[in-house]
Amino acid sequence: MNRAFNRKKDKTWMHTPEALSKHYIPYNAKFLGSTEVEQPKGTEVVRDAVRKLKFARHIKKSEGQKTPKVELQISIYGVKILDPKTKEVQHNCQLHRISFCADDKTDKRIFTFICKDSESNKHLCYVFDSEKCAEEITLTIGQAFDLAYRKFLESGGKDVETRKQIAGLQKRIQELETENIELKNKVQDLENQLRINQIHTSPAGSVTPKSPSTDIFDMVPFSPISPQSSTPTRNGTQPPPVPSRSAEIKRDLFGAEPFDPFSCGAGDFPPDIQSKLDEMQEGFKMGLTLEGTVFCLDPLDSRC
């Protein structure tokens, strides 16, 4: 994994592992915006993105627009960007999609990270203005990624396999529930039809001849016949032998095979879930490049 934590021999992490794995670390910042970039990493990539978004902010300021404030929630699951008042999630950047994170040495307020968009698969550079704690936020994102990667290694990929099994079982349960509703409706229709037929065929005061009892499908209950006793047909030939029921696959009265939760193969998983799991593995393999002082803008930009 290409984890380039180039922070002067990796500075000591600032938070306890429990704070990032069981909860999240909140930060307040101003959101300059996001812009598409061509590469997932690189000093020149973030430098150009920051210049572009700072220039756009100058224009918005001249038009009387204020830079929106946001709340960042950093955990081992990702970086959430929320509205500080309504707590509405504006962006949810999963950690395995974040490939580059850095802060500006010339302007202690500016930090940025590159994240792959989940819908368009384009790489977007997010730029923020914090109150002189850009380096701390950058390190926190790096620590969260490090913890998430260690957890992934400790699980040995079990988490991924478990999610696959759960996804397959949930899909099968939904299918069975739908089939169950359809079968109940069919049974109800057959019972209603049977009652109607009985009313029409049995006029008042008449006595119907006694006939063998049947089930709701007008079928005579099954009675086992010994192999020795066989009844010849009218032409004197013997009927074909009845196959042994023990060799048949057990089915219900509608001919459906019983559901076995342990027989779900990889082909039963929804394609979208499978692709997301594969993408998560690829993201962890790519790693996170965490660097500081990688882009130094001109002094004119620092006064923005």
Side-chain angles (χ1 to χ4, degrees):
M1 176 180 172
N2 180 25
R3 289 182 301 157
F5 293 140
N6 304 338
R7 280 308 183 117
K8 296 180 180 179
K9 302 302 181 180
D10 291 352
K11 289 185 177 181
T12 305
W13 296 131
M14 308 187 66
H15 307 284
T16 62
E18 292 76 14
L20 286 165
S21 60
K22 297 181 180 180
H23 305 282
Y24 59 85
I25 306 299
Y27 289 99
N28 293 321
K30 293 181 180 180
F31 187 31
L32 275 67
S34 62
T35 182
E36 182 182 352
V37 292
E38 296 181 356
Q39 300 295 330
K41 301 180 180 183
T43 302
E44 293 295 331
V45 174
V46 294
R47 180 186 289 115
D48 294 340
V50 172
R51 287 183 183 276
K52 178 180 178 180
L53 291 174
K54 276 194 169 186
F55 180 75
R57 188 177 69 163
H58 271 299
I59 297 177
K60 291 180 180 180
K61 269 190 172 183
S62 64
E63 296 175 351
Q65 299 183 24
K66 294 182 178 180
T67 305
K69 296 180 180 180
V70 295
E71 177 183 337
L72 300 176
Q73 294 182 356
I74 304 174
S75 68
I76 63 172
Y77 302 104
V79 179
K80 290 184 179 181
I81 306 172
L82 303 89
D83 184 288
K85 295 182 179 179
T86 63
K87 301 300 180 181
E88 179 183 357
V89 179
Q90 300 176 352
H91 303 277
N92 187 9
C93 303
Q94 297 174 327
L95 276 186
H96 69 273
R97 292 178 173 272
I98 299 177
S99 55
F100 193 87
C101 187
D103 53 81
D104 184 5
K105 182 179 180 181
T106 60
D107 190 344
K108 297 295 184 180
R109 304 170 304 172
I110 301 297
F111 76 95
T112 179
F113 64 81
I114 298 177
C115 180
K116 188 178 182 181
D117 184 67
S118 58
E119 296 181 358
S120 63
N121 284 331
K122 296 179 180 180
H123 293 94
L124 302 178
C125 183
Y126 294 80
V127 180
F128 302 87
D129 183 340
S130 66
E131 293 296 330
K132 297 184 180 180
C133 58
E135 183 179 13
E136 178 180 343
I137 297 175
T138 304
L139 285 172
T140 302
I141 295 176
Q143 182 182 3
F145 191 96
D146 188 58
L147 291 172
Y149 179 66
R150 290 182 183 180
K151 183 179 179 181
F152 177 77
L153 292 181
E154 290 173 358
S155 67
K158 293 180 180 179
D159 290 345
V160 176
E161 294 301 324
T162 301
R163 292 183 184 182
K164 288 182 179 180
Q165 293 178 6
I166 292 175
L169 291 175
Q170 287 177 343
K171 178 186 177 183
R172 185 55 180 158
I173 289 172
Q174 291 177 354
E175 293 175 351
L176 291 174
E177 289 177 349
T178 303
E179 292 177 5
N180 187 33
I181 294 174
E182 293 176 353
L183 293 176
K184 284 182 178 180
N185 293 334
K186 289 181 179 180
V187 170
Q188 186 65 39
D189 293 341
L190 290 172
E191 290 179 348
N192 295 337
Q193 186 65 34
L194 180 61
R195 292 192 188 97
I196 294 173
N197 292 337
Q198 289 176 345
I199 293 174
H200 288 300
T201 56
S202 301
S206 64
V207 179
T208 56
K210 187 175 181 180
S211 61
S213 60
T214 59
D215 57 15
I216 59 174
F217 302 101
D218 292 334
M219 298 181 66
V220 179
F222 170 76
S223 59
I225 303 175
S226 60
Q228 291 80 8
S229 62
S230 59
T231 304
T233 58
R234 287 181 299 179
N235 58 6
T237 60
Q238 296 290 338
V242 179
S244 174
R245 295 180 61 86
S246 60
E248 297 179 356
I249 300 176
K250 293 183 178 180
R251 301 175 183 269
D252 58 17
L253 73 150
F254 297 100
E257 296 182 14
F259 168 62
D260 184 3
F262 298 100
S263 63
C264 293
D268 295 329
F269 306 138
D272 56 338
I273 295 179
Q274 181 66 46
S275 62
K276 290 180 180 179
L277 294 172
D278 295 339
E279 182 186 36
M280 184 174 66
Q281 290 178 314
E282 290 295 327
F284 277 119
K285 289 179 182 178
M286 173 180 281
L288 170 67
T289 300
L290 179 66
E291 296 182 351
T293 69
V294 295
F295 57 94
C296 299
L297 302 180
D298 296 335
L300 179 62
D301 293 335
S302 301
R303 297 195 299 269
C304 294

